[in-house]
Amino acid sequence: MLTAFVLGLSLQLSAGTCSDLRIVDGRVWTDITINGVATEALFDSGSEITVVDLDFAARAVQGEAEDVEARGTGAASVSAGLVPGVTIGAAGLELAGSVIAVMDLSDISERLVGRPVAAILGREVFDAARLAIDFDAGQVCRIDRAAEPDGVRRSLVSRDGIMAFEIAIEGQAVLADFDTGNRGALLLDATAAETVGLLDGRTETVRSGGGIGGAVDRRVLEVRSVDVAGTVFGAVEAEIDPRESEAGSANIGLGLLTRFYLIVDFAESAIWLSPRQD
């Protein structure tokens, strides 16, 4: 047994219940296995499904793939194959019988990440266990559900396959997707930005963004205040996606999430956030 200190709790963890987290150029990585074959993956709570690159899949994945069209945060849909019966290993979990997506991740590797991406670990691991995420210590650990965690609890709501919780942007409540795959602080679509009142003539620049599906030009502006579980941040950079949605969509990423120690439990629809003292 070993002891880890997470959010002020002394947790008795069995060997193998934790995995390392590494932040490289603003993106968070962890070690996983796919059918027992080890690789490094982006740690992405905003991905509905684990994705593996075609080259890695040739070594690790067997079985017939069902052709589908996949849509990420890029400009267009892309071709992918769904493969059932796959075992995903991460954070001490062995998730047998998982369905994964296989697609060409070379655009993500070259345009966004700057290094090869063999896999993107999606929400399956978040669905399977209560996780303590400590970006400062570089660990994600599977923990017991018996004790109520420290930190401010927020309810998680499922929205289009992604879990979201309420934050306040310049005093207005907004439901924001919990997305460790977004290295920025905030991402809003045009509808949400207009509703919150961000498109009011403040200074803007333009930046190329977008994930799976290709590049998208986004407006970039400064948000005066963002309240996350009672902790208020000023002068937060937000990217505005040009696409609109009926309900409006917002997304909170690593630019703010790394300011907290997190305990996340998708099965119980809850997240606990405790601000780092630094």
Side-chain angles (χ1 to χ4, degrees), residues 105-254:
L105 294 178
S106 60
D107 174 65
I108 296 292
S109 300
E110 296 165 9
R111 178 173 55 84
L112 287 183
V113 181
R115 57 185 292 197
V117 178
I120 301 170
L121 178 63
R123 65 170 286 171
E124 296 95 338
V125 69
F126 293 87
D127 288 327
R130 178 173 290 183
L131 301 177
I133 302 172
D134 188 336
F135 294 108
D136 191 38
Q139 280 195 322
V140 53
C141 299
R142 174 167 49 95
I143 62 172
D144 199 322
R145 288 191 169 105
E148 178 70 12
D150 287 347
V152 178
R153 177 175 176 149
R154 289 289 181 262
S155 295
L156 290 171
V157 177
S158 182
R159 180 172 64 173
D160 296 328
I162 309 301
M163 298 300 267
F165 67 98
E166 189 174 280
I167 64 174
I169 299 176
E170 296 188 356
Q172 296 199 50
V174 175
L175 198 60
D177 295 341
F178 167 63
D179 189 1
T180 60
N182 172 15
R183 72 172 179 176
L186 285 177
L187 171 63
L188 298 89
D189 72 7
T191 303
E194 180 69 35
T195 300
V196 174
L198 301 183
L199 308 183
D200 56 1
R202 67 188 72 187
T203 302
E204 298 180 1
T205 58
V206 175
R207 176 183 300 155
S208 180
I212 289 173
V216 175
D217 284 339
R218 294 172 176 163
R219 302 156 77 174
V220 182
L221 49 80
E222 185 177 275
V223 173
R224 299 183 185 98
S225 68
V226 180
D227 184 327
V228 182
T231 299
V232 179
F233 302 94
V236 175
E237 185 179 87
E239 295 188 10
I240 312 301
D241 192 291
R243 292 171 295 187
E244 299 180 357
S245 66
E246 191 170 318
S249 175
N251 178 302
I252 181 171
L254 291 174

Side-chain angles (χ1 to χ4, degrees), residues 250-268:
N251 178 302
I252 181 171
L254 291 174
L256 290 173
L257 294 175
T258 54
R259 311 286 189 92
F260 296 89
Y261 301 106
L262 305 172
I263 289 182
V264 188
D265 195 327
F266 279 15
E268 295 197 354

